[in-house]
Amino acid sequence: MAILTARFVAALAAAFSAIICPITLDGRVSQNTTLETFDTAASSFNPGYTKGQNLTWSQILKFPPVSSSRFDIPAKKALEVTISDASIFVPGGGQKQLGFRRAGLLLGNGSDASNIGVQTYHWSVMQPEDKKRRMNLTHEYMNVWHETNDYSSNHFSLNAGVMLEQDKPKGGNVTTTGLDKRLWKVLDRKNNVIWTTRIEWDGWQHFAVKIDYEKNTIQVFYSTRNDRLQAVTEVLPNDNTGGGQYQIGVLKKPTETVTVVNDGYQESNIDEGQIYGGIFIENSGQGCISK
């Protein structure tokens, strides 16, 4: 009887889920997950990266009392990634990244199945209710990105705030520093801004980025609240070679900086967060996209 009940609950959950495609990697958070789970191999995310030295994920993450995002319904919950003055990452064998304050959940290992064929990267984001804990948009933020395995670039990223001149598109004279700081900006591998939308201060915003590793293309999908995703760009060319890892969190860049990574200004007493849900990568090889 218990087995039948479990199967019925699973079938019921699937019936109400907006996800219709095969999931390649799943970063959604079950209702019974504890914060301590993220410190262990039982987590979908790498427990060792990418965070401040001597911090654990159970110290960084929170479970905010908010409604589930569209792709977490009916049985998953949101989580909040926070940064503080202690959010200084030290890469293996390297020096402290004093320019950044960062915490990024890492999904995948760079050579897994999410790096082949056609994959769609999903996430939903919400801003904290406490206005004092929201992004300081005089800084540039990179909150979601797919970093190449050689760490030289990103296949795509979601940015906000005042864009640094150092992050202008590669191979051209175009600058992104004049863009409204209140916009989310989706960047391609060359740092071209391929789509923007305003940051909503109340409610969920849903993003999906479809990456075709065979044809080297990218396409962006978007919606708000509980609306279905809609394509907001055409299929665009993008260099998707090199493999990479999916990061979700907060990377706050400095102002008054030369190198960006190793110097610049960050204010003291930082206490900021971003709320996420619906984190997963799905196989879109048959043209399937969960909307």
Side-chain angles (χ1 to χ4, degrees), residues 68-171:
S68 296
S69 73
R70 174 173 174 77
F71 294 102
D72 281 332
I73 296 171
K76 309 296 182 181
K77 62 183 177 181
L79 78 164
E80 181 176 351
V81 182
T82 71
I83 57 170
S84 67
D85 293 357
S87 302
I88 300 175
F89 177 59
V90 183
Q95 63 187 62
K96 291 183 178 180
Q97 295 183 345
L98 295 175
F100 294 153
R101 299 295 178 268
R102 66 184 297 186
L105 289 163
L106 199 63
L107 186 62
N109 60 24
S111 60
D112 54 72
S114 68
N115 286 277
I116 58 175
V118 185
Q119 305 288 332
T120 301
Y121 298 77
H122 286 262
W123 72 91
S124 301
V125 64
M126 179 188 286
Q127 302 308 308
E129 182 177 5
D130 184 349
K131 295 181 180 180
K132 295 180 181 178
R133 300 191 60 251
R134 295 175 178 175
M135 294 180 288
N136 174 359
L137 296 177
T138 62
H139 290 255
E140 180 185 346
Y141 289 79
M142 185 168 68
N143 290 356
V144 179
W145 65 103
H146 193 260
E147 187 173 23
T148 57
N149 282 335
D150 64 2
Y151 309 115
S152 65
S153 60
N154 305 304
H155 293 116
F156 67 85
S157 66
L158 178 73
N159 296 48
V162 176
M163 303 290 286
L164 292 169
E165 180 64 23
Q166 291 93 328
D167 289 333
K168 68 182 180 181
K170 300 173 183 177

Side-chain angles (χ1 to χ4, degrees), residues 64 197 212 224:
T197 191
D212 189 325
T224 60

